[in-house]
Amino acid sequence: MIGKIVLVAIVVFLVAGFTGVNFISLYQKSVQIRTSAEPIIDNTIEHSLQDVQKILDPAKTSMLSRSHTSVGAISKIFVPKYSGTQLQNYALQLINQDRAQAGLGPVVLSPNQAAQAQAENVFGTGQISHWMTDGEKPYMTYTKYGGLGAVEQNIATALCNGFACALNPMDQIKTAEYEMMYDDASSNWGHKDNILDPHHTSVSLGISYNDNTFVIVQNFENNYIDFTQPITYNSGMVRFSGIIPEGKIDNIEIDYDKLPTPAIYQQNKQATSYTTGTQIAVVAKPLPWGQYYQNTLGSPIIIANQWSEQGSSVMISFDAGKIITKPGVYDVLVWLDVNGQTFPATYYSIIKQ
């Protein structure tokens, strides 16, 4: 604790994998299908689906487990065509049905295109991964596509090898959601926890498929700050302002990642989880004259130049020039406190070349 600032361990990214003739990560073989939340798929036109890998990432780490399931022979050779909107709306419907059964409010569909970009990336490589082929992590891609909140990710894929394959995307969406919700024990229910996180407000859905391969990416978002000025970085200064209808800012931290590169993708493409970067600083409110913070956490404390909170309005600026020095990705994590529960409201990535 630094003064009144409580640093909370960051637990955020999670990948989900599905089973059934469905998701997978490298579906391999002719009569087998292998699914993985982050990896790939490879299944067959035959009857069984085996070796289903599920990958998740519950608390800054994730687990990889295997389960076996069987699937009947593909019965629908001629699959109806669906629009992207139809598929997204169906996936959203299933998510909100599960949330409603848990007594939670619905999430709305986010227009952010990071999930779609990741789905197409996974589809193209056949490798389920949280990393894009350019080395970006989900929150970096999310920021690049205009995301202003925090994001947590589930991924699943399915693949069918054979001349008579015809994966039905509606079936794949349904199976994936069911497996994450009701057959996720081998992953410590991490995928389910992401779907049922009470702090999520939105979800962007990326879907890419053909007759042989299906990929779905769920990027759950926390959008709690109505920005009047989004987070900006200019001449060493970080600034933002907005309205926070519910809760208050608990603390702000700065994390560091290396610049994304294809080499980083190659190093991490089969990793079963990802985390935010290394914490390098925390931002604190200015204290009254004569008071100071005692640093017991080891990270440098940046005293904000301005930290104004009036009702639900907030305006904050601080000098990050002394920590944003070497090339890399600097992530601004704003943590909110709502009724005693803290959670991230932003994962905003600042790129320094």
Side-chain angles (χ1 to χ4, degrees):
M1 178 181 296
I2 299 179
K4 297 181 179 178
I5 296 180
V6 177
L7 283 196
V8 181
I10 305 175
V11 172
V12 200
F13 325 87
L14 104 124
V15 180
F18 316 2
T19 102
V21 127
N22 330 331
F23 22 151
I24 72 191
S25 152
L26 273 158
Y27 255 147
Q28 193 167 39
K29 154 160 216 240
S30 37
V31 175
Q32 290 183 335
I33 292 181
R34 173 175 136 186
T35 68
S36 158
E38 288 195 277
I40 306 179
I41 354 172
D42 174 26
N43 108 253
T44 314
I45 102 173
E46 302 259 350
H47 311 203
S48 65
L49 159 57
Q50 303 180 16
D51 228 7
V52 177
Q53 288 185 326
K54 295 180 183 176
I55 300 179
L56 86 138
D57 169 57
K60 251 197 160 180
T61 59
S62 85
M63 305 178 144
L64 169 63
S65 60
R66 296 174 181 275
S67 64
H68 298 280
T69 186
S70 62
V71 175
I74 297 174
S75 59
K76 297 181 180 178
I77 300 303
F78 301 102
V79 178
K81 300 300 181 182
Y82 302 98
S83 69
T85 298
Q86 286 176 306
L87 296 175
Q88 287 185 329
N89 286 340
Y90 181 57
L92 180 66
Q93 175 188 334
L94 295 181
I95 288 168
N96 282 331
Q97 283 178 355
D98 288 329
R99 289 177 64 88
Q101 289 176 4
L104 300 173
V107 291
V108 300
L109 190 63
S110 166
N112 188 278
Q113 291 299 300
Q116 185 61 39
Q118 185 118 22
E120 293 173 6
N121 199 258
V122 170
F123 182 89
T125 62
Q127 174 68 53
I128 298 179
S129 177
H130 284 302
W131 278 260
M132 297 283 280
T133 50
D134 63 3
E136 289 179 347
K137 292 181 181 178
Y139 50 90
M140 299 175 191
T141 308
Y142 174 69
T143 297
K144 182 173 72 176
Y145 280 91
L148 299 176
V151 64
E152 302 181 17
Q153 186 178 87
N154 288 349
I155 302 179
T157 75
L159 183 152
C160 176
N161 287 333
F163 67 90
C165 287
L167 294 177
N168 186 317
M170 289 290 195
D171 292 343
Q172 300 304 316
I173 291 170
K174 184 176 182 179
T175 301
E177 183 72 12
Y178 180 88
E179 293 291 338
M180 288 191 291
M181 283 295 302
Y182 303 108
D183 191 21
D184 199 40
S186 60
S187 296
N188 287 341
W189 302 99
H191 307 126
K192 178 179 180 179
D193 289 344
N194 196 16
I195 294 169
L196 299 184
D197 188 322
H199 305 303
H200 292 332
T201 60
S202 314
V203 63
S204 56
L205 298 164
I207 298 172
S208 186
Y209 73 99
N210 59 18
D211 285 345
N212 299 84
T213 304
F214 173 85
V215 180
I216 182 169
V217 177
Q218 300 173 331
N219 275 358
F220 287 96
E221 302 177 22
N222 297 345
N223 291 305
Y224 282 81
I225 304 176
D226 182 9
F227 287 97
T228 53
Q229 177 185 324
I231 297 174
T232 60
Y233 176 70
N234 186 32
S235 300
M237 294 297 297
V238 175
R239 296 182 173 88
F240 70 89
S241 62
I243 307 297
I244 304 177
E246 184 179 12
K248 61 181 181 180
I249 294 178
D250 183 73
N251 67 81
I252 301 173
E253 68 175 88
I254 311 296
D255 290 354
Y256 173 81
D257 284 291
K258 292 181 180 179
L259 282 173
T261 64
I264 287 179
Y265 168 75
Q266 291 298 329
Q267 294 166 9
N268 295 281
K269 64 183 180 181
Q270 294 182 335
T272 60
S273 67
Y274 70 96
T275 68
T276 52
T278 302
Q279 181 181 303
I280 60 172
V282 294
V283 182
K285 297 179 183 180
L287 291 175
W289 186 85
Q291 296 184 20
Y292 64 96
Y293 291 106
Q294 182 177 4
N295 190 344
T296 60
L297 296 178
S299 297
I301 300 174
I302 300 173
I303 304 301
N305 296 58
Q306 180 181 21
W307 190 306
S308 173
E309 293 177 289
Q310 297 183 354
S312 60
S313 298
V314 62
M315 182 178 294
I316 293 176
S317 65
F318 57 90
D319 187 351
K322 292 183 178 180
I323 61 167
I324 299 181
T325 55
K326 61 183 180 180
V329 181
Y330 295 82
D331 305 304
V332 180
L333 282 70
V334 177
W335 289 81
L336 290 190
D337 182 325
V338 177
N339 299 322
Q341 295 185 337
T342 56
F343 56 90
T346 71
Y347 289 149
Y348 188 83
S349 297
I350 296 170
I351 310 294
K352 180 174 175 58
Q353 300 291 344

